[in-house]
Each structure stands twice: as C-alpha cells, then as structure tokens.
C-alpha cells in the first residue's frame, strides 16, 4: 500500500484527488487537511479513514473533534501550521499539496526533508521559494511531480527528449472568460463574471488568476523553477479549447504536445501513479469522429498586464516573484470582497513591486518576513 496524505482535501484538486483514489485499491490515506469545511472533511474521514486530520481554523477543529468523539471515531484532529506539518509528514510515500497560497510552503518543505515525494498542485510554493524547494528536493532525492495541467503536460513531453535538447517550453492558456473583451469592457467586470471560467472547473482564487492571466504568469515562474529553464525560453500561447495542455519544442524544431479533454483528474492520476501510467476511467477519451479545430493566438499583454509583471519578476529573480505572489493574493482577496476593481489588480501588484528592494538569495526567514511585508503594503494601498 502506498501511504498518501493530502493538504487541502476539500478544495477542487483535493476532492478530485480523492475521486481518483476512490477507484484505486493500493492507496492508504494517512492524513487530510482543510481550512474550515468540516462537513465535507467529516464525510472524507468516514470514507477514507485517515489517522490524523488538520483543520487550520481552531474553532472548527474543536467542533470536528467533538463530533468525531460523539460518533466513537478515533481520528485525531490537529490545527494550525504545526498540524499541517504533521499531516504532510504522515504521507510516507506521497504528499499531495493541494492548498492554495503560501500556507503550503512550510509543510511541503518539511515533508521533503523526510524524503516524501510531492505531487504539487500548489504553484505558489514554487513561485515564492522555487530555488529553496528544488535544492531541498535534490538534496533529499525527492521527486516533485507537477499536478498543474500545463506542467504535468510538459513533464510528460520531456520524457521523450533529453533536457539539453529542449529549445523552449510553450504553455497554453485558455485566456479566461475575458479573452475577447475590450479595455472598456474590462473596466466593469464583476466578481461573478470573473469566477465563471469557460473551460475549467476550479477554486475561486485560481479562477480570478485565470481571468487576469496572472495564473499563466505564475505558471511561467513555476515552470522556470521546476524544469530549470530561463524565462526567455518559456512562451505562452492562447489556446481557447484547452485540449493541448502544453508543449515542448526541441532543438530540431519538433514539437511534442500532451493533449486530452480538459479534466484535472488526468494530471492527478498521472502524478499519483508516476512513474507508472495506469488506466483512468474517470477521464473521457477524445472523439476524433467529429470535426473540431484547435486555435492558437498571442496573449494580449497590454490588456492583461499581469502576465508581463510575472515575466519581469522572474527575470529580476530573488524575492521579486515572492512579492508578486503575495501582492496578487491580497489583490484577488480585495477584488473578491468587491473592494477594488478587476483592472486595479495589476495596478496594485505593480505598486507593491515598485517599493520592494530585491534580495537575491533569500533564506526561508527572509521569505516569510517579506511575504508579510508585501501583504501589509498591498492591504494599505488596496483599501485606500
Ligand atoms: Mg494550470
């Protein structure tokens, strides 16, 4: 039995991971975590029988523990970052990091310390501490298997070539719900419109990031760290059908792509079973008896400035991607609370980046400190 823990088991990737695991008989779930959705977590406990779960909201953690005791269930409920670390380390063979935001960083790093492979759906950890994460993984002989559809695709494509034969990576982007909008139309978009992604069913934070194209920007940074490739060799193309999940062009101009219907259960299943490839009945096969077309176009960098902000942060390197991410997390939160406009998101991030003096090789303490600083500045500037 492969012992697997999931950080963020009630979110979009977490629930889809459990859906994949439900159909497998060689996986033992050791630990699960959520922020506060204890109703769903309780159901997951009765079905998957983890030894320990973490609820980061303290009151909800106490409430769940009482409910479980009343039902004679012996699962231990822990809380806080220390609780997340206990969950991360319970995995033994694999940790699926499916939480959103910086909160995944410390538990994931500490799981790597104990030699646990990581299925990484939390792109923020690589964006904020990419060098530390990758160095750590190398030192401990740990594999980081991407669960993001684009990176999962590139990971698969790279199996057909040598790393020094790679000319460039091409990340595909659906373009989000506003890909055909004008500058005027973008001024007035609502939270509800931004949350309605045309192709993928995802959580709130990533849906907004997809609408601003910051999601693609974060993915460019993630790809750069994960595959150790410079920003100049990573391109983005808008591909509205989301059938080709990304591509690798090799030095002979041959391009290898990975394609399939847009369904996160494919990269999840691939990451859980890696290096094996097993049947996945949850994902439908593509139907080539019907005519369909695949379109590609340049992103509109002017209307969606977040993409260039991310490229610039990656090129500046050091703590610039971290500050980009922290400011973006705050900007998205303020937009969701209707305190700033959609078009204010890149402006706010730009302002915070402008005030930041980059540290080239930050320690983990530097990263945590600068993350706090950037959030504070972003809040102050955002609520004005
Ligand atoms: Mg993605």
């Amino acid at each position: 039995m492969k012992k697997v823990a999931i950080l963020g088991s009630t979110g979009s990737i977490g629930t889809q991971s459990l859906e994949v695991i439900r159909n497998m008989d060689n996986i033992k779930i050791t630990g699960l975590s959520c922020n506060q959705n204890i109703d769903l977590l309780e159901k997951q406990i009765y079905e998957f029988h983890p030894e320990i779960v973490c609820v980061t909201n303290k009151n909800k953690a106490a409430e769940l523990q009482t409910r479980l005791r009343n039902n004679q269930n012996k699962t231990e409920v822990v809380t806080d970052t220390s609780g997340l670390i206990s969950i991360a380390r319970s995995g033994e063979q694999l940790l699926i990091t499916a939480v959103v935001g910086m909160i995944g960083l410390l538990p994931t790093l500490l799981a790597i310390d104990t030699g646990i492979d990581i299925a990484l759906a939390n792109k923020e950890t690589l964006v904020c501490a990419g060098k530390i994460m990758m160095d750590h993984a190398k030192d401990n002989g740990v594999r980081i298997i991407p669960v993001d559809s684009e990176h999962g695709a590139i990971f698969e494509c790279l199996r057909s070539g040598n790393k020094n034969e790679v000319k460039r990576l091409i990340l595909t982007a659906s373009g989000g719900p506003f890909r055909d909008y004008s500058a005027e139309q973008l001024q007035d978009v609502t939270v509800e419109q931004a949350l309605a992604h045309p192709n993928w069913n995802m959580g709130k934070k990533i849906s907004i990031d997809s609408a601003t194209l910051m999601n693609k920007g974060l993915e460019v940074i993630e790809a750069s760290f994960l595959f150790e490739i410079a920003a100049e060799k990573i391109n983005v193309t808008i591909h509205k059908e989301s059938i080709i999940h990304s591509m690798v062009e090799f030095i002979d101009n041959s391009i290898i792509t990975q394609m399939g219907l847009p369904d996160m259960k494919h990269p999840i299943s691939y990451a859980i079973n890696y290096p094996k490839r097993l049947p996945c009945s949850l994902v439908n096969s593509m139907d080539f008896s019907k005519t369909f077309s695949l379109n590609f176009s340049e992103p509109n960098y002017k209307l969606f400035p977040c993409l260039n902000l991310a490229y610039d942060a990656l090129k500046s390197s050091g703590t610039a991607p971290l500050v980009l991410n922290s400011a973006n997390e705050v900007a998205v939160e303020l937009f969701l609370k209707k305190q700033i406009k959609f078009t204010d998101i890149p402006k706010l991030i730009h302002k915070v980046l402008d005030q930041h003096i980059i540290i080239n090789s930050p320690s983990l303490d530097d990263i945590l400190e600068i993350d706090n600083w950037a959030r504070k500045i972003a809040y102050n500037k955002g609520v004005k």
Side-chain angles (χ1 to χ4, degrees), residues 219-236:
E219 287 180 355
V220 168
I221 300 172
E222 184 187 4
S224 174
F225 286 113
L226 197 56
F227 304 112
E228 296 175 307
I229 194 155
E232 292 75 12
K233 289 184 167 185
I234 306 174
N235 295 158
V236 171

Side-chain angles (χ1 to χ4, degrees), residues 304-363:
F304 299 95
C306 284
L307 190 49
N308 265 341
L309 283 174
Y311 266 108
D312 289 345
L314 177 59
K315 286 173 192 164
S316 304
S317 88
T319 45
L322 162 71
V323 170
L324 171 96
N325 179 71
S326 315
N328 180 57
E329 284 191 28
V330 173
V332 171
E333 189 190 321
L334 293 177
F335 172 67
L336 284 170
K337 288 182 181 160
K338 305 187 178 179
Q339 290 181 10
I340 64 172
K341 288 203 309 187
F342 183 78
T343 44
D344 290 334
I345 295 175
K347 289 179 196 159
L348 181 55
I349 299 165
H350 196 256
K351 279 185 197 162
V352 180
L353 277 165
D354 251 2
Q355 286 205 7
H356 176 56
I357 299 160
I358 295 168
I359 298 179
N360 283 324
S361 301
S363 65

Side-chain angles (χ1 to χ4, degrees), residues 123 148-150 215-216 219:
K123 64 189 64 154
D148 216 340
S149 65
E150 295 79 359
N215 182 52
K216 211 48 55 181
E219 287 180 355

Side-chain angles (χ1 to χ4, degrees), residues 10-65:
T10 59
S12 171
I13 297 292
T15 49
Q16 292 184 83
S17 297
L18 287 173
E19 217 180 307
V20 169
I21 290 168
R22 184 178 288 130
N23 285 279
M24 299 172 65
D25 50 16
N26 62 336
I27 302 277
K28 160 85 184 117
I29 292 289
T30 55
L32 298 173
S33 92
C34 76
N35 180 28
Q36 56 176 347
N37 188 353
I38 55 171
D39 292 341
L40 180 54
L41 185 63
E42 190 180 5
K43 283 186 195 145
Q44 294 175 344
I45 291 169
Y46 296 137
E47 180 177 358
F48 294 96
H49 313 290
E51 293 138 26
I52 180 170
V53 296
C54 175
V55 181
T56 39
N57 178 313
K58 280 195 177 78
N59 293 334
K60 294 278 181 187
E63 191 185 331
L64 178 63
Q65 186 74 82

Side-chain angles (χ1 to χ4, degrees), residues 98-165:
V99 288
V100 178
M102 266 283 279
I103 194 169
L105 176 61
L106 209 55
T108 306
L109 274 177
L110 291 169
I112 291 174
D113 272 346
T114 52
I116 301 167
D117 281 342
I118 308 291
L120 190 71
N122 172 243
K123 64 189 64 154
E124 290 89 347
T125 54
L126 272 181
V127 170
C128 300
K131 173 116 180 60
I132 293 180
M133 280 272 291
M134 295 311 288
D135 286 352
H136 227 55
K138 267 186 213 156
D139 292 346
N140 289 284
V142 158
R143 294 185 290 212
I144 297 191
I145 310 145
V147 173
D148 216 340
S149 65
E150 295 79 359
H151 305 75
I154 291 170
F155 193 78
E156 288 189 51
C157 294
L158 286 174
R159 288 178 88 175
S160 47
N162 199 306
K163 210 185 132 196
N164 46 28
E165 294 169 351

